[in-house]
């Protein structure tokens, strides 16, 4: 687990290191922390946000640029990404594909936020991983209050929600029977025995307890952490994505877990990727008419090739990273490069980790149809410190515990295999993990690889029972023979401050975004 308050470290899993280090902060002498009061909205609301003191190199109109990794995306299509703090939520946000939550649960979502701060969230649950067979829909009404920029997950905004009503529509008798095994015999306006499919029943209101919601594993804790990203495409279009807090992978924790990472984003119904047939279906759905997603042709699972992150990824416990995997299906060998950053735009590299080993393909998953089980073995790990504090930290480890003691230098890779890993990084070699993989085609009919979600508590899926039931952000297939991914980001200064251009008359309503410099936490965590 990754506890900010604990002095040291940690756990490693091949995709997953979590390094806590209070020492690091002490090395970051260059940063002066201060609190900036940013006036937002009508000017009546004060946003207290952590901030490094801005240097003269700060450029208010600077934006974060994400250079696509793979040639196929090199369509002169450099995407500029901005994110407001606080986020602007007004409008409807929809799923872009069948979503898988730990459990597994299969669902689509359509959330509408009104300027009055009221929201209406529709969640459609399915029996199958293709979202073709609707089981029940939840209609959730409530109110959301944005609180402050998150001190834990930089770039995110913390919020509080208040539920006023939750209604349920059951879509089939079979679904009713399955619910009967989970729900108490009666819930507010619903007596399961008498439920008629297609009719809306009240499951929760402000006068009722949450027992029935908890029995469904339902909560809206995801509203606790919010981020809206706007991608400005060169050709003038824009895409807006709403990131809501992650769902705990442990079912017993999910109704009280305060998210520190994100789920896969919803997209704005007005500004989404094109084409997105699923977006339209979800947008038009009601609780009575759940979207039935079209069957997607089964993508043949071949891991061979190089797969990379499409975006900067945020993980629970505040890790910003990109992943880059190469699989050799003849040799059953793999290599993964994890690039770790200190900021939510993945512009400040802190260190990279290269892991490799072998894998074995197992059976098709019984829990998530279309997915396949794998076992991964990590036999070799190398680490390159990209910045001084990380190099110093690793350099100070005891001989034999983490590569060559005293041999760490910025930019120089160290093999951790001779020391069977690295205690301070929580890496132990060799290491085995039970995995769940799935391939899909994205909206451009390009292959995507979904790799199992990491356990939220930072542990490792080192036993078959701990095998994931949901996925991380999809990786995309590179079309072979390319160089390593790189990022281009403005002038490369340390703290990026992005300010959305306000049309003159709306200056007061303008929002300032701070994407903080290199240290929010006194610790770094790594996947
Ligand atoms: C600030 O950024 C904008 C857009 O990226 C650029 O046009 C401008 O020259 C920059 N100004 C400075 C002082 O760097
Ligand atoms: C690592 O330790 C060695 C030996 O103590 C020292 O010479 C070197 O400068 C250190 N490197 C860093 C980056 O601190």
């Amino acid at each position: 687990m990754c506890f900010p308050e604990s002095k040291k470290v940690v756990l490693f899993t091949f995709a997953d290191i979590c390094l806590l280090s209070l020492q690091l902060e002490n090395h970051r002498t260059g940063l002066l922390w201060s609190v900036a009061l940013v006036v937002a909205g009508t000017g009546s609301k004060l946003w207290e946000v952590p901030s490094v003191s801005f240097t003269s190199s700060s450029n208010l109109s600077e934006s974060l640029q994400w250079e696509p990794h793979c040639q196929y995306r090199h369509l002169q299509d450099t995407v500029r990404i901005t994110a407001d703090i606080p986020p602007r939520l007004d409008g409807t946000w929809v799923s872009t594909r069948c979503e898988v939550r730990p459990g597994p649960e299969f669902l689509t979502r359509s959330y509408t936020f009104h300027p009055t701060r009221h929201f209406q969230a529709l969640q459609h649950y399915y029996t199958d991983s293709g979202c073709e067979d609707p089981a029940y829909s939840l209609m959730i009404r409530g109110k959301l209050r944005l609180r402050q920029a998150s001190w834990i997950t930089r770039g995110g905004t913390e919020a509080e929600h208040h539920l006023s009503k939750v209604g349920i529509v059951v879509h089939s008798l079979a679904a009713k029977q399955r619910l009967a095994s989970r729900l108490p015999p009666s819930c507010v306006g619903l007596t399961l025995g008498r439920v008629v499919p297609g009719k809306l029943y009240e499951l929760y209101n402000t006068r009722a307890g949450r027992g029935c919601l908890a029995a469904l594993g339902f909560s809206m804790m995801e509203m606790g952490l919010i981020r809206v990203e706007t991608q400005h495409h060169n050709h003038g279009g824009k895409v807006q994505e709403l990131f809501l807090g992650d769902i705990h992978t442990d079912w017993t924790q999910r109704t009280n877990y305060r998210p520190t990472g994100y789920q896969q984003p919803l997209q704005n119904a007005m500004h989404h990727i094109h084409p997105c047939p699923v977006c339209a279906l979800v947008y038009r759905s009601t609780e009575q008419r759940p979207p039935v997603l079209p069957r997607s042709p089964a993508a043949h699972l071949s891991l061979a090739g190089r797969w990379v992150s499409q975006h900067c990824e945020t993980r629970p416990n505040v890790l910003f990273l990109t992943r880059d995997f190469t699989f050799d299906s003849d040799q059953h060998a793999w290599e993964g490069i994890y690039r770790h950053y200190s900021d939510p735009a993945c512009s400040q590299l802190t260190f990279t980790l290269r892991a490799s080993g072998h894998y074995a393909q197992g059976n098709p998953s019984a829990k998530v149809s279309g997915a396949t089980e794998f076992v991964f073995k990590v036999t070799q790990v190398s680490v390159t410190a990209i910045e001084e504090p990380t190099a110093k930290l690793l350099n100070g480890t005891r001989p034999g515990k983490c590569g060559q003691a005293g041999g760490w230098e910025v930019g120089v890779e160290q093999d951790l295999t001779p020391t069977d890993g690295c205690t301070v990084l929580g890496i132990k070699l060799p290491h085995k993990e039970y995995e769940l993989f799935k391939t899909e085609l994205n909206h451009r009919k390009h292959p995507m690889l979904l790799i199992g979600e990491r356990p939220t508590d930072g542990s490792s899926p080192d036993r078959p029972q701990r095998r994931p039931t949901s996925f991380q952000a999809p990786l995309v297939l590179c079309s072979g023979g390319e160089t390593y991914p790189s990022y281009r980001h403005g002038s490369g200064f340390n703290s990026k401050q992005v300010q959305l251009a306000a049309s003159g008359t709306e200056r007061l309503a303008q929002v300032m975004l701070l994407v903080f410099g290199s240290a929010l936490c006194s610790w770094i965590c790594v996947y």
Side-chain angles (χ1 to χ4, degrees), residues 141-167:
R141 288 179 195 277
K143 204 166 179 184
L144 186 75
R145 188 158 164 237
L146 299 177
R147 302 290 300 182
Q148 67 209 4
S150 172
W151 288 72
I152 301 173
T153 308
R154 281 184 293 151
T157 297
E158 289 175 5
E160 269 174 18
H161 73 278
H162 175 80
L163 290 183
S164 51
K165 209 171 260 190
V166 179

Side-chain angles (χ1 to χ4, degrees), residues 37 44 49 97 121 137 142 160 220 237 244 285 292 295 321 328 354 364 370 387 390 407 433 438 443 461 508 524:
L37 291 176
S44 61
V49 294
R97 60 176 205 266
S137 297
E160 269 174 18
M220 289 301 278
L244 294 173
S285 68
V292 174
R295 176 157 303 180
L321 83 159
D328 177 341
R354 205 155 53 84
E387 50 161 32
T390 315
E433 295 210 340
K438 192 178 185 206
H443 67 288
L508 272 182
I524 57 170

Side-chain angles (χ1 to χ4, degrees), residues 388 391-392 395-396 405-410:
E388 195 74 24
K392 283 207 167 121
N395 209 27
W408 288 93
E409 281 177 54
V410 170

Side-chain angles (χ1 to χ4, degrees), residues 57-63 65 491:
S57 64
S58 294
N59 183 341
L60 288 185
S61 60
E62 190 76 37
S63 59
Q65 299 212 339
S491 54

Side-chain angles (χ1 to χ4, degrees), residues 9-14 16-18 351 353-355 378 380-383 401-402 416-417 419-431:
V9 196
V10 206
L11 279 164
F12 166 78
T13 63
F14 94 84
D16 178 1
I17 300 176
C18 186
F351 69 97
L353 185 146
R354 205 155 53 84
V378 193
Q380 210 225 328
V381 174
S382 306
V383 167
K401 296 288 182 193
C402 186
L416 304 183
T417 319
T419 50
D420 296 330
C422 173
T423 324
V424 74
L425 289 172
I427 301 172
K428 210 165 150 47
L429 293 173
H431 180 81

Side-chain angles (χ1 to χ4, degrees), residues 67-70 306 308 322-324 337 339 483-487:
E67 179 166 296
H69 304 292
C70 303
R306 182 167 156 232
V308 299
T322 61
R323 295 170 295 149
D324 180 337
I337 301 169
R339 295 180 175 81
T483 54
Y484 287 114
S486 63
Y487 310 116

Side-chain angles (χ1 to χ4, degrees), residues 156-194:
T157 297
E158 289 175 5
E160 269 174 18
H161 73 278
H162 175 80
L163 290 183
S164 51
K165 209 171 260 190
V166 179
I168 186 170
V169 177
V170 179
H171 299 303
S172 69
L173 289 171
K176 175 175 148 178
Q177 265 157 20
R178 276 189 302 273
L179 279 175
S181 65
R182 292 165 70 183
L183 282 176
S186 78
C187 287
V188 197
L190 165 127
T191 304
L192 260 178
R194 278 184 255 138

Side-chain angles (χ1 to χ4, degrees), residues 232-465:
H232 307 268
H233 293 260
N234 271 0
H235 48 77
K238 72 173 180 180
V239 169
Q240 283 195 309
E241 293 188 318
L242 170 62
F243 292 80
L244 294 173
D246 63 315
I247 309 293
H248 204 290
T249 52
D250 180 347
W251 188 271
T252 62
Q253 301 293 315
R254 61 189 283 166
T255 55
N256 53 32
Y257 166 67
R258 284 202 77 85
T260 55
Y262 302 108
Q263 297 169 69
Q264 283 307 288
L266 302 175
Q267 292 196 358
N268 190 291
M270 298 302 126
H271 306 287
H272 61 75
I273 49 164
H274 288 282
C276 182
V278 172
C279 298
L281 288 172
V282 175
Y283 181 63
R284 287 199 297 265
S285 68
T286 65
E287 64 274 24
Q288 257 98 10
R289 287 189 300 116
V292 174
L293 304 196
R295 176 157 303 180
S296 50
H300 174 65
L301 185 77
S302 167
L303 287 184
R306 182 167 156 232
W307 305 79
V308 299
S309 297
Q310 292 168 284
H311 300 286
C312 183
E313 298 173 8
T314 305
R315 291 300 171 67
N317 297 310
V318 199
L319 309 172
F320 303 109
L321 83 159
T322 61
R323 295 170 295 149
D324 180 337
F325 286 97
T326 306
F327 299 96
D328 177 341
S329 51
D330 295 332
Q331 303 292 321
H332 297 283
W334 68 280
E335 180 182 66
I337 301 169
Y338 304 82
R339 295 180 175 81
H340 302 275
Y341 302 84
S342 57
D343 65 312
C346 285
S347 65
Q348 291 291 306
L349 198 56
T350 53
F351 69 97
T352 63
L353 185 146
R354 205 155 53 84
S356 59
H358 288 84
Y359 65 91
Q361 183 166 343
N363 295 321
S365 168
K367 288 183 172 168
V368 183
S369 77
T372 306
E373 298 183 344
F374 278 83
V375 179
F376 272 76
K377 207 163 173 192
V378 193
T379 50
Q380 210 225 328
V381 174
S382 306
V383 167
T384 309
I386 307 294
E387 50 161 32
E388 195 74 24
T390 315
K392 283 207 167 121
L393 172 78
L394 296 171
N395 209 27
T397 54
R398 278 188 289 140
K401 296 288 182 193
C402 186
Q404 192 197 334
W408 288 93
E409 281 177 54
V410 170
V412 179
E413 184 170 74
Q414 275 240 40
D415 186 359
L416 304 183
T417 319
T419 50
D420 296 330
C422 173
T423 324
V424 74
L425 289 172
I427 301 172
K428 210 165 150 47
L429 293 173
H431 180 81
K432 201 185 219 182
E433 295 210 340
Y434 293 83
E435 265 295 354
L436 185 72
F437 276 36
K438 192 178 185 206
T439 49
E440 279 181 14
L441 297 179
N442 71 6
H443 67 288
R444 287 178 181 162
K445 301 273 180 267
H446 199 89
M448 297 193 299
L449 174 64
L450 297 151
I451 297 184
E453 187 70 83
R454 313 299 309 170
T456 309
D457 66 4
S459 65
S460 160
D462 54 2
R463 277 165 277 164
Q465 312 86 275

